[in-house]
Amino acid sequence: MGPDAHPARRGNAVLTRMYLPEFLNLRAGFEKYFTAHAATTEALELAAYRIRHEVYCEELGYEAARDDGMERDRYDARALHCVLRSVRNDEYVGCVRLVLADPHDATANLPFETYCGASLDRRLADPDALPRTTIAEVSRLAVVGRYRRRSGERNLPVALTERDFGTPDRPRFPYLAVGLYLAMLAQARRHGIETLFMLTEQRLARQLTRLGVHLTPIGPAIEHRGWRFPSMMSVPEVIDSLNFFVRPMFEVIAEEIETSYQPAKATPFELTRASSGSPS
């Protein structure tokens, strides 16, 4: 297929290698196992911090352990958080955050700008040239260890590999990992974020193309908990190009994220953005 093929058609073509003839309703499959929640309450934010501590501090040693069992940093004050809950066990098992531009300091960097700002190919994407209220960075993806038991998964905060999509004889689908990425997209769209940046492994980028999620590398790899490439994605384009199997799953996750923002559930940060006239 030529390089000028429409993204949605490319995504659907790749999907034929996912062995999904039996998974005709990913929406129902996701609803069977998980629910998605925007962290619009203190309790949900704390659930995200606990997951991060379990994974980033206790299991992987990326960060120092905290006495309170919660992994937090200075970017959380301007971040949007999502958590996924296990329907079977009624426990929170995965999290992701979007770090927003500082609403009080237009010169404040996103985390990736601090790590690799000097080496970015700004012909492809220049964060400084984009409206700061329309960009964010994806970070702190994490899945608790009991959901990362296969060989090679224990050394990663969240895994998405070839094996997660099964074989013709044993088809499967990685609802938890994919659910986190779709929740991230739903949060971004709701808050008017048009461009997302992230540091990602090359193999993860390959797996995301199966879903219609296309990342554009914007600089050389850097050493940050392994070799990772600074990448970007267009939120509207990615959502438009989600393949037809994945779209129903995205829709239910977006509905659940929106439900989190019903009256009396908004965080002070959400209320601050709303009162400042930021997109919502």
Side-chain angles (χ1 to χ4, degrees):
M1 184 171 293
D4 58 344
H6 189 276
R9 290 195 289 273
R10 290 201 303 270
N12 291 338
V14 173
L15 183 64
T16 61
R17 298 198 295 274
M18 289 171 60
Y19 314 123
L20 290 177
E22 297 179 13
F23 292 98
L24 297 179
N25 192 341
L26 294 184
R27 176 182 181 125
F30 179 81
E31 290 179 306
K32 178 180 178 181
Y33 297 112
F34 302 105
T35 58
H37 305 266
T40 56
T41 67
E42 182 181 14
L44 289 172
E45 287 187 9
L46 295 180
Y49 300 150
R50 290 189 190 98
I51 293 170
R52 284 162 44 176
H53 191 274
E54 178 179 336
V55 176
Y56 280 78
C57 303
E58 299 173 24
E59 296 177 8
L60 302 178
Y62 287 166
E63 301 287 341
R66 275 71 158 175
D67 291 338
D68 63 1
M70 299 185 196
E71 193 277 314
R72 290 179 271 203
D73 66 19
R74 62 191 177 96
Y75 295 108
D76 286 315
R78 53 181 169 110
L80 302 169
H81 306 269
C82 291
V83 291
L84 262 58
R85 181 182 66 87
S86 166
V87 171
R88 176 182 300 176
N89 300 323
D90 192 25
E91 62 179 349
Y92 295 103
V93 295
C95 66
V96 61
R97 77 175 177 185
L98 297 182
V99 178
L100 306 177
D102 190 328
H104 306 296
D105 182 1
T107 66
N109 285 338
L110 294 173
F112 88 101
E113 294 177 285
T114 300
Y115 298 133
C116 56
S119 62
L120 294 179
D121 186 343
R122 295 182 184 269
R123 296 169 301 175
L124 297 173
D126 185 355
D128 292 337
L130 298 171
R132 299 297 285 184
T133 57
T134 68
I135 67 173
E137 179 175 350
V138 182
S139 67
R140 290 304 196 263
L141 282 124
V143 170
V144 296
R146 51 196 171 280
Y147 285 80
R148 305 182 346 266
R149 291 179 174 175
R150 292 202 300 275
S151 175
E153 292 184 345
R154 299 291 292 183
N155 297 324
L156 298 170
V158 60
L160 190 62
T161 67
E162 184 86 18
R163 291 176 299 170
D164 290 311
F165 294 94
T167 67
D169 295 331
R170 293 176 177 267
R172 59 184 297 149
F173 191 82
Y175 288 106
L176 181 50
V178 173
L180 288 173
Y181 284 101
L182 295 183
M184 163 199 79
L185 286 170
Q187 274 276 61
R189 182 178 69 176
R190 188 188 189 280
H191 290 273
I193 302 301
E194 298 178 358
T195 304
L196 290 175
F197 296 94
M198 60 191 302
L199 293 174
T200 184
E201 295 179 307
Q202 193 170 33
R203 61 180 176 178
L204 173 60
R206 287 196 300 267
Q207 300 308 321
L208 289 175
T209 62
R210 294 172 177 262
L211 312 173
V213 176
H214 301 282
L215 296 176
T216 301
I218 56 173
I222 65 167
E223 171 58 36
H224 179 69
R225 300 166 180 164
W227 288 99
R228 303 176 188 276
F229 288 87
S231 304
M232 63 163 286
M233 69 174 77
S234 164
V235 173
E237 290 180 7
V238 167
I239 292 175
D240 285 346
S241 66
L242 288 173
N243 62 56
F244 65 95
F245 275 102
V246 176
R247 183 166 297 281
M249 181 174 162
F250 170 75
E251 289 172 351
V252 70
I253 288 173
E255 291 167 8
E256 292 176 343
I257 293 297
E258 186 61 33
T259 298
S260 302
Y261 287 97
Q262 294 306 309
K265 292 186 177 181
T267 63
F269 183 74
E270 167 71 5
L271 294 174
T272 298
R273 282 181 61 81
S275 63
S276 66
S278 298
S280 61

